[in-house]
Amino acid sequence: MDKNYYDVSYEPVNNNQPPKPAIYYTIGEVSKELGEESSTVRYWSNKYYDFLDVEMCNTHRRFSRLDIDKLKVIQQCKQKKMTHNQIINALKETNFDITVVENSINEINKHLDIQLLAAALSVEVNKRLDAMEERINEKINNKLDIQNDVIKKSLEDISEHICVTVDSMIEESLNEIEVKKEDLDKLTSEISKQTEMIQEMKSAYVSTEEIKKFTEKQNLVDRVKSWIFKNK
């Protein structure tokens, strides 16, 4: 046998064998495995870059199996409605141990449930307080309406009483004025009578003076006659 030739056992290629797992995966393959959009995987790989070992080939991302497992943990955190800071803290504390992460998620969910319960209770308490406030305001308004009606009725009664009193006072005053007018008329009549009497008295006084003068003259005549008769 020529020294340049060797016996080699030949094994035919089996095309039905499953392909060996790739060392690196494209972003399309990762998004398909996660059931997410490529844009979402790209965003997560940028957001949590410090926790992943993504290789860049030209401008294309290449993910290892470990990267995919880490992205699955991040995906579960997102599905649990964890915030970015909560995810960062969970990844730091658990080092992507899915069991620990799930326990952390459960604890967070407990706190979230408590917060949700507290928020629901707060909403219910506020509703009941609003309803109570509405009922109290309604009762206060009813009492105020009743008080206003009472005050209005009292004012009407007072106004009516004042009107009656004023009318009575006016009527009394008018009566007094009428009485005083009658007295004034009487006084005026008396004054008129007295004035007439004075005038008559004046007239009588003038006549007396004339009679007196006449009497004096007559007496003089009588004395003259008497003297004449004596000297005859």
Side-chain angles (χ1 to χ4, degrees), residues 49-108:
Y49 178 80
D50 294 337
F51 298 96
L52 303 173
D53 296 319
V54 180
E55 296 287 339
M56 296 297 296
C57 182
N58 293 328
T59 58
H60 301 287
R61 288 176 172 82
R62 294 291 182 265
F63 297 85
S64 65
R65 171 50 54 183
L66 181 60
D67 291 330
I68 297 174
D69 292 337
K70 289 181 178 180
L71 286 172
K72 287 180 179 180
V73 174
I74 294 171
Q75 184 184 39
Q76 291 183 27
C77 293
K78 290 288 186 180
Q79 291 172 350
K80 296 295 183 180
K81 306 299 181 182
M82 293 174 65
T83 64
H84 174 70
N85 291 333
Q86 288 173 338
I87 295 174
I88 292 293
N89 293 331
L91 297 180
K92 286 180 179 179
E93 293 173 1
T94 61
N95 196 23
F96 287 91
D97 186 336
I98 187 62
T99 302
V100 180
V101 170
E102 287 180 350
N103 291 334
S104 177
I105 291 172
N106 291 331
E107 289 296 323
I108 292 171

Side-chain angles (χ1 to χ4, degrees), residues 159-216:
S159 177
E160 183 177 357
H161 177 71
I162 290 173
C163 290
V164 170
T165 303
V166 170
D167 290 341
S168 177
M169 291 175 64
I170 291 172
E171 185 176 357
E172 290 178 0
S173 298
L174 289 174
N175 291 333
E176 290 179 359
I177 290 171
E178 289 294 330
V179 171
K180 289 181 180 180
K181 185 176 181 300
E182 290 178 0
D183 293 340
L184 182 60
D185 291 340
K186 289 180 180 179
L187 180 60
T188 303
S189 178
E190 290 293 330
I191 292 172
S192 297
K193 288 180 180 180
Q194 291 181 6
T195 303
E196 289 177 359
M197 289 177 64
I198 291 170
Q199 292 295 331
E200 289 177 357
M201 289 175 66
K202 284 183 177 180
S203 298
Y205 178 76
V206 171
S207 298
T208 302
E209 288 293 327
E210 290 178 354
I211 292 170
K212 184 178 180 181
K213 289 179 180 180
F214 177 78
T215 303
E216 288 178 353

Side-chain angles (χ1 to χ4, degrees), residues 108-126:
I108 292 171
N109 286 336
K110 287 180 181 179
H111 290 296
L112 289 174
D113 291 339
I114 292 173
Q115 291 176 358
L116 290 174
L117 179 60
L121 288 174
S122 177
V123 170
E124 184 64 25
V125 168
N126 287 332

Side-chain angles (χ1 to χ4, degrees), residues 7-58:
D7 290 331
V8 178
S9 59
Y10 174 75
E11 295 181 1
V13 176
N14 186 1
N15 292 326
N16 294 325
Q17 289 181 354
K20 294 182 179 181
I23 297 176
Y24 288 100
Y25 300 85
T26 64
I27 192 168
E29 292 170 334
V30 175
S31 62
K32 184 177 181 180
E33 184 171 343
L34 295 178
E36 301 285 352
E37 296 291 336
S38 297
S39 58
T40 302
V41 176
R42 187 179 297 106
Y43 173 76
W44 288 351
S45 63
N46 290 333
K47 199 73 173 176
Y48 304 100
Y49 178 80
D50 294 337
F51 298 96
L52 303 173
D53 296 319
V54 180
E55 296 287 339
M56 296 297 296
C57 182
N58 293 328

